[in-house]
Amino acid sequence: LKTLKDLNLERNLLTGRIDTLHRCRKLRFLALGENELTGSLTDSLLQQWSLLTDLDLSNNKLQGELPSELFSMTLKVIDLHGNGFNGTIPDRHAANPALEFLALFGNQLTGTIGSNVEKLVNLRHLDLSRNKLEGDLPKHPIAKLVKLKYLFLAFNDKLNTGPIPPEWSSLTELVDLSLQQTNRNGTIPGGLGLLQNLAMLDLQGNKLSGKIHSDIGNLPNLKFLLLKDNLLTGEFPVTLASPLYLNTLLIDDNNIVGGMEQFCDQMPETLNTFVADDEFSCSCCTLQCNDSNSTCNNASWFSQQDPVSNYQYHRVQYKFNDDDVIYPITGKEESIQGFYDTFGMPTDQDLFQKYDGDEAIEGGGN
């Protein structure tokens, strides 16, 4: 099929090597995610696919190092999560400013996040979580990615200890920020209160100290605030009752000293899960934990949001653990079938519509 342009074989039980497709040199869109494919992704193979704009090989059994050609092509979407890639991230980001979506989570990648990441000026989604990355967080380079909506660096516990970069207050388009288990210390910067589009702030499992900054209450779209397992002190700020859509709040395994009842008197009706320590009164908590009980609230609260690919990418919903919330991303729709955030790309509903008389019937969605 030497003139084939689009190929989507996702979610099957396919085996074999991906280089079987090396003669398909007209490919623009290639989606082979969630199969059992093996082999490696090489420079020579990518050179055969020089017209690719969308590459999804996620959740397979691919191994080896990432090819340097990966960041010298004109790819807009690179999704390689859930494989066995190792080695470092190629430091040739500057060659591809067209890249909008980069998901490498769930591999064995080492080394640092290079400063050349700042050249990915159109990047809207960056997920490097669940790897073995080292070194410092690139404060200024990431701060320049002002189109970012999703930033996931969680579960990289070999990163150098350091604070949450206050420079990241420039990322005003952010919807999700997850720094869980990344060796963050110091205080929660008040500049996070400038991220008015933030729906999820995940800072669990670090060594953050000081008070919970009251400016977080200025985030009107905040739904998930995950501060569990830190060294936070002081009283809980009543300003956190202000976000209209607050759904999940975890502050257990800290050193909070009270202030909960005033919050409970004003808490939003949307609050579904509120977990705190049992050292003070909290009439609106759904669960209070004792430090001696290691099994209390020990479920994983990481939101592993696997993007769905049907010719474009969109995030449909949040799902934390099996017993917890499944929630639409924008919070303003009437149901789970409402509007989706697409970081500027068309949704399936835009791309695939069937018509019955004068009525449009949405199709192709998830």
Side-chain angles (χ1 to χ4, degrees), residues 212 234-238 240-241 249-252 255-267 271 274-288:
I212 300 174
E235 291 196 349
F236 189 75
V238 69
L240 286 181
L249 181 55
L250 308 181
I251 62 167
D252 54 305
N255 299 311
I256 307 295
V257 297
M260 309 307 302
E261 288 308 313
Q262 189 177 1
F263 169 83
C264 289
D265 290 340
Q266 303 178 39
M267 73 175 192
L271 190 62
F274 184 12
V275 184
D277 293 322
D278 68 350
E279 299 169 0
F280 44 77
S281 174
C282 180
S283 60
C284 61
C285 285
T286 55
L287 177 66
Q288 288 189 265

PDB file of all heavy atoms in Angstrom, residues 212 234-238 240-241 249-252 255-267 271 274-288:
ATOM      1  N   ILE A 212      -0.630  26.671  53.080  1.00  0.00           N
ATOM      2  CA  ILE A 212      -1.275  26.579  51.771  1.00  0.00           C
ATOM      3  C   ILE A 212      -1.617  27.996  51.349  1.00  0.00           C
ATOM      4  O   ILE A 212      -2.370  28.695  52.025  1.00  0.00           O
ATOM      5  CB  ILE A 212      -2.546  25.714  51.829  1.00  0.00           C
ATOM      6  CG1 ILE A 212      -2.212  24.300  52.290  1.00  0.00           C
ATOM      7  CG2 ILE A 212      -3.231  25.675  50.459  1.00  0.00           C
ATOM      8  CD1 ILE A 212      -3.441  23.422  52.509  1.00  0.00           C
ATOM      9  N   GLY A 234       0.163  25.360  59.327  1.00  0.00           N
ATOM     10  CA  GLY A 234      -0.772  26.478  59.424  1.00  0.00           C
ATOM     11  C   GLY A 234      -2.223  26.032  59.321  1.00  0.00           C
ATOM     12  O   GLY A 234      -2.541  24.840  59.239  1.00  0.00           O
ATOM     13  N   GLU A 235      -3.121  27.019  59.328  1.00  0.00           N
ATOM     14  CA  GLU A 235      -4.544  26.721  59.208  1.00  0.00           C
ATOM     15  C   GLU A 235      -4.945  26.614  57.744  1.00  0.00           C
ATOM     16  O   GLU A 235      -4.331  27.225  56.858  1.00  0.00           O
ATOM     17  CB  GLU A 235      -5.386  27.796  59.905  1.00  0.00           C
ATOM     18  CG  GLU A 235      -5.255  27.787  61.412  1.00  0.00           C
ATOM     19  CD  GLU A 235      -6.374  28.568  62.090  1.00  0.00           C
ATOM     20  OE1 GLU A 235      -7.122  29.273  61.369  1.00  0.00           O
ATOM     21  OE2 GLU A 235      -6.512  28.457  63.318  1.00  0.00           O
ATOM     22  N   PHE A 236      -5.974  25.843  57.515  1.00  0.00           N
ATOM     23  CA  PHE A 236      -6.478  25.663  56.168  1.00  0.00           C
ATOM     24  C   PHE A 236      -7.189  26.946  55.729  1.00  0.00           C
ATOM     25  O   PHE A 236      -8.060  27.450  56.419  1.00  0.00           O
ATOM     26  CB  PHE A 236      -7.453  24.480  56.143  1.00  0.00           C
ATOM     27  CG  PHE A 236      -7.871  24.071  54.759  1.00  0.00           C
ATOM     28  CD1 PHE A 236      -7.007  23.377  53.940  1.00  0.00           C
ATOM     29  CD2 PHE A 236      -9.129  24.394  54.281  1.00  0.00           C
ATOM     30  CE1 PHE A 236      -7.382  22.995  52.677  1.00  0.00           C
ATOM     31  CE2 PHE A 236      -9.518  24.011  53.018  1.00  0.00           C
ATOM     32  CZ  PHE A 236      -8.643  23.315  52.207  1.00  0.00           C
ATOM     33  N   PRO A 237      -6.844  27.504  54.554  1.00  0.00           N
ATOM     34  CA  PRO A 237      -7.422  28.793  54.164  1.00  0.00           C
ATOM     35  C   PRO A 237      -8.875  28.674  53.707  1.00  0.00           C
ATOM     36  O   PRO A 237      -9.207  27.846  52.847  1.00  0.00           O
ATOM     37  CB  PRO A 237      -6.523  29.234  52.996  1.00  0.00           C
ATOM     38  CG  PRO A 237      -5.965  27.972  52.438  1.00  0.00           C
ATOM     39  CD  PRO A 237      -5.830  27.033  53.593  1.00  0.00           C
ATOM     40  N   VAL A 238      -9.730  29.495  54.267  1.00  0.00           N
ATOM     41  CA  VAL A 238     -11.145  29.468  53.898  1.00  0.00           C
ATOM     42  C   VAL A 238     -11.353  29.890  52.444  1.00  0.00           C
ATOM     43  O   VAL A 238     -12.379  29.584  51.834  1.00  0.00           O
ATOM     44  CB  VAL A 238     -11.949  30.377  54.853  1.00  0.00           C
ATOM     45  CG1 VAL A 238     -11.609  31.831  54.617  1.00  0.00           C
ATOM     46  CG2 VAL A 238     -13.454  30.150  54.690  1.00  0.00           C
ATOM     47  N   LEU A 240     -10.268  28.629  49.926  1.00  0.00           N
ATOM     48  CA  LEU A 240     -10.403  27.475  49.046  1.00  0.00           C
ATOM     49  C   LEU A 240     -11.854  27.038  48.877  1.00  0.00           C
ATOM     50  O   LEU A 240     -12.140  26.107  48.127  1.00  0.00           O
ATOM     51  CB  LEU A 240      -9.561  26.312  49.556  1.00  0.00           C
ATOM     52  CG  LEU A 240      -8.061  26.469  49.335  1.00  0.00           C
ATOM     53  CD1 LEU A 240      -7.305  25.271  49.838  1.00  0.00           C
ATOM     54  CD2 LEU A 240      -7.763  26.667  47.855  1.00  0.00           C
ATOM     55  N   ALA A 241     -12.766  27.702  49.557  1.00  0.00           N
ATOM     56  CA  ALA A 241     -14.188  27.464  49.317  1.00  0.00           C
ATOM     57  C   ALA A 241     -14.690  28.248  48.117  1.00  0.00           C
ATOM     58  O   ALA A 241     -15.836  28.089  47.699  1.00  0.00           O
ATOM     59  CB  ALA A 241     -15.003  27.843  50.552  1.00  0.00           C
ATOM     60  N   LEU A 249     -10.373  17.194  47.148  1.00  0.00           N
ATOM     61  CA  LEU A 249      -9.432  17.950  47.961  1.00  0.00           C
ATOM     62  C   LEU A 249      -8.735  16.984  48.909  1.00  0.00           C
ATOM     63  O   LEU A 249      -9.379  16.365  49.766  1.00  0.00           O
ATOM     64  CB  LEU A 249     -10.186  19.030  48.736  1.00  0.00           C
ATOM     65  CG  LEU A 249      -9.412  19.964  49.652  1.00  0.00           C
ATOM     66  CD1 LEU A 249      -8.300  20.666  48.903  1.00  0.00           C
ATOM     67  CD2 LEU A 249     -10.366  20.984  50.262  1.00  0.00           C
ATOM     68  N   LEU A 250      -7.426  16.832  48.737  1.00  0.00           N
ATOM     69  CA  LEU A 250      -6.636  15.934  49.585  1.00  0.00           C
ATOM     70  C   LEU A 250      -5.569  16.733  50.313  1.00  0.00           C
ATOM     71  O   LEU A 250      -4.664  17.279  49.679  1.00  0.00           O
ATOM     72  CB  LEU A 250      -5.957  14.851  48.739  1.00  0.00           C
ATOM     73  CG  LEU A 250      -6.807  14.018  47.779  1.00  0.00           C
ATOM     74  CD1 LEU A 250      -5.929  12.992  47.073  1.00  0.00           C
ATOM     75  CD2 LEU A 250      -7.948  13.337  48.501  1.00  0.00           C
ATOM     76  N   ILE A 251      -5.674  16.789  51.643  1.00  0.00           N
ATOM     77  CA  ILE A 251      -4.657  17.495  52.428  1.00  0.00           C
ATOM     78  C   ILE A 251      -4.125  16.628  53.564  1.00  0.00           C
ATOM     79  O   ILE A 251      -3.430  17.131  54.458  1.00  0.00           O
ATOM     80  CB  ILE A 251      -5.206  18.819  53.005  1.00  0.00           C
ATOM     81  CG1 ILE A 251      -6.371  18.550  53.957  1.00  0.00           C
ATOM     82  CG2 ILE A 251      -5.614  19.768  51.902  1.00  0.00           C
ATOM     83  CD1 ILE A 251      -6.747  19.754  54.803  1.00  0.00           C
ATOM     84  N   ASP A 252      -4.435  15.329  53.559  1.00  0.00           N
ATOM     85  CA  ASP A 252      -3.989  14.450  54.627  1.00  0.00           C
ATOM     86  C   ASP A 252      -2.483  14.222  54.569  1.00  0.00           C
ATOM     87  O   ASP A 252      -1.834  14.495  53.558  1.00  0.00           O
ATOM     88  CB  ASP A 252      -4.732  13.107  54.574  1.00  0.00           C
ATOM     89  CG  ASP A 252      -4.633  12.437  53.220  1.00  0.00           C
ATOM     90  OD1 ASP A 252      -4.996  13.091  52.223  1.00  0.00           O
ATOM     91  OD2 ASP A 252      -4.212  11.260  53.153  1.00  0.00           O
ATOM     92  N   ASN A 255       0.823  18.758  58.207  1.00  0.00           N
ATOM     93  CA  ASN A 255       0.805  19.264  59.586  1.00  0.00           C
ATOM     94  C   ASN A 255      -0.156  20.435  59.730  1.00  0.00           C
ATOM     95  O   ASN A 255       0.117  21.399  60.442  1.00  0.00           O
ATOM     96  CB  ASN A 255       2.218  19.683  60.014  1.00  0.00           C
ATOM     97  CG  ASN A 255       3.197  18.523  59.993  1.00  0.00           C
ATOM     98  OD1 ASN A 255       2.923  17.449  60.538  1.00  0.00           O
ATOM     99  ND2 ASN A 255       4.341  18.713  59.346  1.00  0.00           N
ATOM    100  N   ILE A 256      -1.294  20.351  59.005  1.00  0.00           N
ATOM    101  CA  ILE A 256      -2.326  21.380  59.096  1.00  0.00           C
ATOM    102  C   ILE A 256      -2.886  21.381  60.514  1.00  0.00           C
ATOM    103  O   ILE A 256      -3.114  20.317  61.116  1.00  0.00           O
ATOM    104  CB  ILE A 256      -3.447  21.120  58.081  1.00  0.00           C
ATOM    105  CG1 ILE A 256      -2.862  20.963  56.672  1.00  0.00           C
ATOM    106  CG2 ILE A 256      -4.489  22.219  58.107  1.00  0.00           C
ATOM    107  CD1 ILE A 256      -2.204  22.199  56.132  1.00  0.00           C
ATOM    108  N   VAL A 257      -3.150  22.575  61.072  1.00  0.00           N
ATOM    109  CA  VAL A 257      -3.538  22.655  62.485  1.00  0.00           C
ATOM    110  C   VAL A 257      -5.001  23.025  62.695  1.00  0.00           C
ATOM    111  O   VAL A 257      -5.448  23.187  63.826  1.00  0.00           O
ATOM    112  CB  VAL A 257      -2.649  23.681  63.237  1.00  0.00           C
ATOM    113  CG1 VAL A 257      -1.205  23.230  63.235  1.00  0.00           C
ATOM    114  CG2 VAL A 257      -2.780  25.076  62.619  1.00  0.00           C
ATOM    115  N   GLY A 258      -5.795  23.118  61.653  1.00  0.00           N
ATOM    116  CA  GLY A 258      -7.207  23.423  61.847  1.00  0.00           C
ATOM    117  C   GLY A 258      -7.721  24.399  60.809  1.00  0.00           C
ATOM    118  O   GLY A 258      -7.190  24.515  59.704  1.00  0.00           O
ATOM    119  N   GLY A 259      -8.781  25.127  61.197  1.00  0.00           N
ATOM    120  CA  GLY A 259      -9.397  26.094  60.295  1.00  0.00           C
ATOM    121  C   GLY A 259     -10.378  25.460  59.327  1.00  0.00           C
ATOM    122  O   GLY A 259     -10.757  26.080  58.330  1.00  0.00           O
ATOM    123  N   MET A 260     -10.815  24.226  59.617  1.00  0.00           N
ATOM    124  CA  MET A 260     -11.651  23.510  58.668  1.00  0.00           C
ATOM    125  C   MET A 260     -13.118  23.915  58.752  1.00  0.00           C
ATOM    126  O   MET A 260     -13.816  23.927  57.735  1.00  0.00           O
ATOM    127  CB  MET A 260     -11.529  21.997  58.907  1.00  0.00           C
ATOM    128  CG  MET A 260     -10.110  21.489  58.977  1.00  0.00           C
ATOM    129  SD  MET A 260      -9.101  21.962  57.558  1.00  0.00           S
ATOM    130  CE  MET A 260     -10.064  21.243  56.265  1.00  0.00           C
ATOM    131  N   GLU A 261     -13.603  24.226  59.940  1.00  0.00           N
ATOM    132  CA  GLU A 261     -15.046  24.446  60.091  1.00  0.00           C
ATOM    133  C   GLU A 261     -15.519  25.668  59.322  1.00  0.00           C
ATOM    134  O   GLU A 261     -16.607  25.669  58.749  1.00  0.00           O
ATOM    135  CB  GLU A 261     -15.417  24.544  61.571  1.00  0.00           C
ATOM    136  CG  GLU A 261     -15.352  23.218  62.301  1.00  0.00           C
ATOM    137  CD  GLU A 261     -16.152  22.126  61.587  1.00  0.00           C
ATOM    138  OE1 GLU A 261     -17.313  22.382  61.187  1.00  0.00           O
ATOM    139  OE2 GLU A 261     -15.615  21.024  61.407  1.00  0.00           O
ATOM    140  N   GLN A 262     -14.719  26.720  59.291  1.00  0.00           N
ATOM    141  CA  GLN A 262     -15.105  27.897  58.514  1.00  0.00           C
ATOM    142  C   GLN A 262     -15.166  27.561  57.028  1.00  0.00           C
ATOM    143  O   GLN A 262     -16.048  28.021  56.298  1.00  0.00           O
ATOM    144  CB  GLN A 262     -14.129  29.044  58.764  1.00  0.00           C
ATOM    145  CG  GLN A 262     -14.587  30.368  58.171  1.00  0.00           C
ATOM    146  CD  GLN A 262     -13.645  31.506  58.486  1.00  0.00           C
ATOM    147  OE1 GLN A 262     -12.611  31.323  59.140  1.00  0.00           O
ATOM    148  NE2 GLN A 262     -13.978  32.705  58.021  1.00  0.00           N
ATOM    149  N   PHE A 263     -14.232  26.727  56.585  1.00  0.00           N
ATOM    150  CA  PHE A 263     -14.278  26.253  55.199  1.00  0.00           C
ATOM    151  C   PHE A 263     -15.536  25.426  54.963  1.00  0.00           C
ATOM    152  O   PHE A 263     -16.221  25.583  53.945  1.00  0.00           O
ATOM    153  CB  PHE A 263     -13.033  25.421  54.881  1.00  0.00           C
ATOM    154  CG  PHE A 263     -13.106  24.670  53.584  1.00  0.00           C
ATOM    155  CD1 PHE A 263     -12.802  25.292  52.385  1.00  0.00           C
ATOM    156  CD2 PHE A 263     -13.503  23.330  53.558  1.00  0.00           C
ATOM    157  CE1 PHE A 263     -12.891  24.606  51.176  1.00  0.00           C
ATOM    158  CE2 PHE A 263     -13.583  22.639  52.363  1.00  0.00           C
ATOM    159  CZ  PHE A 263     -13.276  23.279  51.173  1.00  0.00           C
ATOM    160  N   CYS A 264     -15.857  24.534  55.899  1.00  0.00           N
ATOM    161  CA  CYS A 264     -17.029  23.671  55.742  1.00  0.00           C
ATOM    162  C   CYS A 264     -18.307  24.479  55.633  1.00  0.00           C
ATOM    163  O   CYS A 264     -19.243  24.100  54.909  1.00  0.00           O
ATOM    164  CB  CYS A 264     -17.118  22.695  56.903  1.00  0.00           C
ATOM    165  SG  CYS A 264     -15.846  21.390  56.890  1.00  0.00           S
ATOM    166  N   ASP A 265     -18.365  25.590  56.326  1.00  0.00           N
ATOM    167  CA  ASP A 265     -19.569  26.427  56.277  1.00  0.00           C
ATOM    168  C   ASP A 265     -19.779  27.033  54.888  1.00  0.00           C
ATOM    169  O   ASP A 265     -20.917  27.386  54.530  1.00  0.00           O
ATOM    170  CB  ASP A 265     -19.475  27.558  57.310  1.00  0.00           C
ATOM    171  CG  ASP A 265     -19.581  27.044  58.740  1.00  0.00           C
ATOM    172  OD1 ASP A 265     -20.085  25.920  58.920  1.00  0.00           O
ATOM    173  OD2 ASP A 265     -19.126  27.751  59.655  1.00  0.00           O
ATOM    174  N   GLN A 266     -18.696  27.164  54.117  1.00  0.00           N
ATOM    175  CA  GLN A 266     -18.785  27.841  52.824  1.00  0.00           C
ATOM    176  C   GLN A 266     -18.408  26.965  51.641  1.00  0.00           C
ATOM    177  O   GLN A 266     -18.327  27.449  50.513  1.00  0.00           O
ATOM    178  CB  GLN A 266     -17.855  29.067  52.829  1.00  0.00           C
ATOM    179  CG  GLN A 266     -18.130  30.056  53.941  1.00  0.00           C
ATOM    180  CD  GLN A 266     -17.146  31.212  53.923  1.00  0.00           C
ATOM    181  OE1 GLN A 266     -16.767  31.716  52.867  1.00  0.00           O
ATOM    182  NE2 GLN A 266     -16.711  31.635  55.103  1.00  0.00           N
ATOM    183  N   MET A 267     -18.183  25.685  51.862  1.00  0.00           N
ATOM    184  CA  MET A 267     -17.627  24.823  50.825  1.00  0.00           C
ATOM    185  C   MET A 267     -18.574  24.734  49.625  1.00  0.00           C
ATOM    186  O   MET A 267     -19.787  24.826  49.751  1.00  0.00           O
ATOM    187  CB  MET A 267     -17.360  23.428  51.380  1.00  0.00           C
ATOM    188  CG  MET A 267     -18.612  22.607  51.618  1.00  0.00           C
ATOM    189  SD  MET A 267     -18.189  20.938  52.116  1.00  0.00           S
ATOM    190  CE  MET A 267     -19.793  20.134  51.971  1.00  0.00           C
ATOM    191  N   LEU A 271     -18.142  19.661  45.963  1.00  0.00           N
ATOM    192  CA  LEU A 271     -17.089  18.915  46.652  1.00  0.00           C
ATOM    193  C   LEU A 271     -17.564  17.496  46.939  1.00  0.00           C
ATOM    194  O   LEU A 271     -18.521  17.280  47.684  1.00  0.00           O
ATOM    195  CB  LEU A 271     -16.686  19.623  47.942  1.00  0.00           C
ATOM    196  CG  LEU A 271     -15.435  19.082  48.633  1.00  0.00           C
ATOM    197  CD1 LEU A 271     -14.215  19.232  47.738  1.00  0.00           C
ATOM    198  CD2 LEU A 271     -15.196  19.782  49.963  1.00  0.00           C
ATOM    199  N   PHE A 274     -13.156  14.839  50.253  1.00  0.00           N
ATOM    200  CA  PHE A 274     -12.342  15.737  51.067  1.00  0.00           C
ATOM    201  C   PHE A 274     -11.674  14.896  52.137  1.00  0.00           C
ATOM    202  O   PHE A 274     -12.331  14.404  53.058  1.00  0.00           O
ATOM    203  CB  PHE A 274     -13.225  16.825  51.680  1.00  0.00           C
ATOM    204  CG  PHE A 274     -12.464  17.873  52.468  1.00  0.00           C
ATOM    205  CD1 PHE A 274     -11.081  17.980  52.411  1.00  0.00           C
ATOM    206  CD2 PHE A 274     -13.148  18.769  53.283  1.00  0.00           C
ATOM    207  CE1 PHE A 274     -10.396  18.941  53.125  1.00  0.00           C
ATOM    208  CE2 PHE A 274     -12.477  19.733  54.004  1.00  0.00           C
ATOM    209  CZ  PHE A 274     -11.103  19.821  53.925  1.00  0.00           C
ATOM    210  N   VAL A 275     -10.356  14.697  52.009  1.00  0.00           N
ATOM    211  CA  VAL A 275      -9.604  13.854  52.939  1.00  0.00           C
ATOM    212  C   VAL A 275      -8.604  14.719  53.701  1.00  0.00           C
ATOM    213  O   VAL A 275      -7.825  15.466  53.096  1.00  0.00           O
ATOM    214  CB  VAL A 275      -8.865  12.726  52.200  1.00  0.00           C
ATOM    215  CG1 VAL A 275      -8.174  11.802  53.216  1.00  0.00           C
ATOM    216  CG2 VAL A 275      -9.835  11.926  51.337  1.00  0.00           C
ATOM    217  N   ALA A 276      -8.649  14.614  55.033  1.00  0.00           N
ATOM    218  CA  ALA A 276      -7.746  15.377  55.902  1.00  0.00           C
ATOM    219  C   ALA A 276      -7.274  14.479  57.029  1.00  0.00           C
ATOM    220  O   ALA A 276      -7.703  13.324  57.153  1.00  0.00           O
ATOM    221  CB  ALA A 276      -8.451  16.614  56.437  1.00  0.00           C
ATOM    222  N   ASP A 277      -6.378  14.998  57.870  1.00  0.00           N
ATOM    223  CA  ASP A 277      -5.958  14.267  59.062  1.00  0.00           C
ATOM    224  C   ASP A 277      -7.051  14.368  60.124  1.00  0.00           C
ATOM    225  O   ASP A 277      -7.937  15.226  60.066  1.00  0.00           O
ATOM    226  CB  ASP A 277      -4.640  14.832  59.586  1.00  0.00           C
ATOM    227  CG  ASP A 277      -3.487  14.572  58.619  1.00  0.00           C
ATOM    228  OD1 ASP A 277      -3.454  13.483  58.012  1.00  0.00           O
ATOM    229  OD2 ASP A 277      -2.636  15.474  58.445  1.00  0.00           O
ATOM    230  N   ASP A 278      -6.967  13.495  61.128  1.00  0.00           N
ATOM    231  CA  ASP A 278      -8.031  13.426  62.140  1.00  0.00           C
ATOM    232  C   ASP A 278      -7.698  14.214  63.399  1.00  0.00           C
ATOM    233  O   ASP A 278      -8.316  14.013  64.447  1.00  0.00           O
ATOM    234  CB  ASP A 278      -8.321  11.968  62.497  1.00  0.00           C
ATOM    235  CG  ASP A 278      -7.165  11.305  63.241  1.00  0.00           C
ATOM    236  OD1 ASP A 278      -6.071  11.913  63.321  1.00  0.00           O
ATOM    237  OD2 ASP A 278      -7.340  10.173  63.719  1.00  0.00           O
ATOM    238  N   GLU A 279      -6.768  15.156  63.313  1.00  0.00           N
ATOM    239  CA  GLU A 279      -6.302  15.868  64.501  1.00  0.00           C
ATOM    240  C   GLU A 279      -7.149  17.089  64.824  1.00  0.00           C
ATOM    241  O   GLU A 279      -6.866  17.803  65.787  1.00  0.00           O
ATOM    242  CB  GLU A 279      -4.834  16.279  64.319  1.00  0.00           C
ATOM    243  CG  GLU A 279      -3.915  15.057  64.117  1.00  0.00           C
ATOM    244  CD  GLU A 279      -2.530  15.457  63.671  1.00  0.00           C
ATOM    245  OE1 GLU A 279      -2.296  16.675  63.524  1.00  0.00           O
ATOM    246  OE2 GLU A 279      -1.688  14.561  63.466  1.00  0.00           O
ATOM    247  N   PHE A 280      -8.143  17.374  64.024  1.00  0.00           N
ATOM    248  CA  PHE A 280      -8.993  18.538  64.259  1.00  0.00           C
ATOM    249  C   PHE A 280     -10.387  18.240  63.742  1.00  0.00           C
ATOM    250  O   PHE A 280     -10.621  17.270  63.014  1.00  0.00           O
ATOM    251  CB  PHE A 280      -8.424  19.783  63.562  1.00  0.00           C
ATOM    252  CG  PHE A 280      -7.949  19.524  62.162  1.00  0.00           C
ATOM    253  CD1 PHE A 280      -8.837  19.408  61.112  1.00  0.00           C
ATOM    254  CD2 PHE A 280      -6.600  19.374  61.894  1.00  0.00           C
ATOM    255  CE1 PHE A 280      -8.398  19.160  59.829  1.00  0.00           C
ATOM    256  CE2 PHE A 280      -6.147  19.123  60.615  1.00  0.00           C
ATOM    257  CZ  PHE A 280      -7.063  19.015  59.578  1.00  0.00           C
ATOM    258  N   SER A 281     -11.324  19.071  64.115  1.00  0.00           N
ATOM    259  CA  SER A 281     -12.713  18.896  63.705  1.00  0.00           C
ATOM    260  C   SER A 281     -12.887  19.269  62.234  1.00  0.00           C
ATOM    261  O   SER A 281     -12.396  20.299  61.780  1.00  0.00           O
ATOM    262  CB  SER A 281     -13.621  19.773  64.576  1.00  0.00           C
ATOM    263  OG  SER A 281     -14.958  19.733  64.124  1.00  0.00           O
ATOM    264  N   CYS A 282     -13.595  18.415  61.509  1.00  0.00           N
ATOM    265  CA  CYS A 282     -13.873  18.669  60.092  1.00  0.00           C
ATOM    266  C   CYS A 282     -15.189  17.989  59.735  1.00  0.00           C
ATOM    267  O   CYS A 282     -15.219  16.832  59.320  1.00  0.00           O
ATOM    268  CB  CYS A 282     -12.737  18.159  59.221  1.00  0.00           C
ATOM    269  SG  CYS A 282     -13.005  18.448  57.455  1.00  0.00           S
ATOM    270  N   SER A 283     -16.279  18.721  59.880  1.00  0.00           N
ATOM    271  CA  SER A 283     -17.601  18.132  59.687  1.00  0.00           C
ATOM    272  C   SER A 283     -17.902  17.799  58.236  1.00  0.00           C
ATOM    273  O   SER A 283     -18.774  16.984  57.949  1.00  0.00           O
ATOM    274  CB  SER A 283     -18.676  19.084  60.227  1.00  0.00           C
ATOM    275  OG  SER A 283     -18.621  20.334  59.547  1.00  0.00           O
ATOM    276  N   CYS A 284     -17.187  18.400  57.294  1.00  0.00           N
ATOM    277  CA  CYS A 284     -17.467  18.152  55.875  1.00  0.00           C
ATOM    278  C   CYS A 284     -16.473  17.203  55.237  1.00  0.00           C
ATOM    279  O   CYS A 284     -16.556  16.938  54.029  1.00  0.00           O
ATOM    280  CB  CYS A 284     -17.519  19.467  55.101  1.00  0.00           C
ATOM    281  SG  CYS A 284     -15.974  20.421  55.140  1.00  0.00           S
ATOM    282  N   CYS A 285     -15.519  16.687  56.011  1.00  0.00           N
ATOM    283  CA  CYS A 285     -14.563  15.735  55.451  1.00  0.00           C
ATOM    284  C   CYS A 285     -15.258  14.407  55.140  1.00  0.00           C
ATOM    285  O   CYS A 285     -16.097  13.937  55.928  1.00  0.00           O
ATOM    286  CB  CYS A 285     -13.422  15.481  56.427  1.00  0.00           C
ATOM    287  SG  CYS A 285     -12.211  16.827  56.536  1.00  0.00           S
ATOM    288  N   THR A 286     -14.939  13.815  54.034  1.00  0.00           N
ATOM    289  CA  THR A 286     -15.461  12.486  53.707  1.00  0.00           C
ATOM    290  C   THR A 286     -14.606  11.393  54.339  1.00  0.00           C
ATOM    291  O   THR A 286     -15.044  10.254  54.456  1.00  0.00           O
ATOM    292  CB  THR A 286     -15.518  12.281  52.185  1.00  0.00           C
ATOM    293  OG1 THR A 286     -14.227  12.521  51.625  1.00  0.00           O
ATOM    294  CG2 THR A 286     -16.504  13.251  51.553  1.00  0.00           C
ATOM    295  N   LEU A 287     -13.352  11.736  54.727  1.00  0.00           N
ATOM    296  CA  LEU A 287     -12.473  10.786  55.381  1.00  0.00           C
ATOM    297  C   LEU A 287     -11.417  11.566  56.144  1.00  0.00           C
ATOM    298  O   LEU A 287     -10.879  12.542  55.641  1.00  0.00           O
ATOM    299  CB  LEU A 287     -11.803   9.870  54.347  1.00  0.00           C
ATOM    300  CG  LEU A 287     -10.784   8.848  54.867  1.00  0.00           C
ATOM    301  CD1 LEU A 287     -11.478   7.816  55.755  1.00  0.00           C
ATOM    302  CD2 LEU A 287     -10.073   8.149  53.713  1.00  0.00           C
ATOM    303  N   GLN A 288     -11.137  11.119  57.394  1.00  0.00           N
ATOM    304  CA  GLN A 288     -10.039  11.684  58.166  1.00  0.00           C
ATOM    305  C   GLN A 288      -9.106  10.559  58.571  1.00  0.00           C
ATOM    306  O   GLN A 288      -9.532   9.511  59.039  1.00  0.00           O
ATOM    307  CB  GLN A 288     -10.568  12.424  59.403  1.00  0.00           C
ATOM    308  CG  GLN A 288     -11.262  13.736  59.051  1.00  0.00           C
ATOM    309  CD  GLN A 288     -11.601  14.568  60.271  1.00  0.00           C
ATOM    310  OE1 GLN A 288     -12.712  14.504  60.779  1.00  0.00           O
ATOM    311  NE2 GLN A 288     -10.650  15.360  60.734  1.00  0.00           N
TER     312      GLN A 288
END
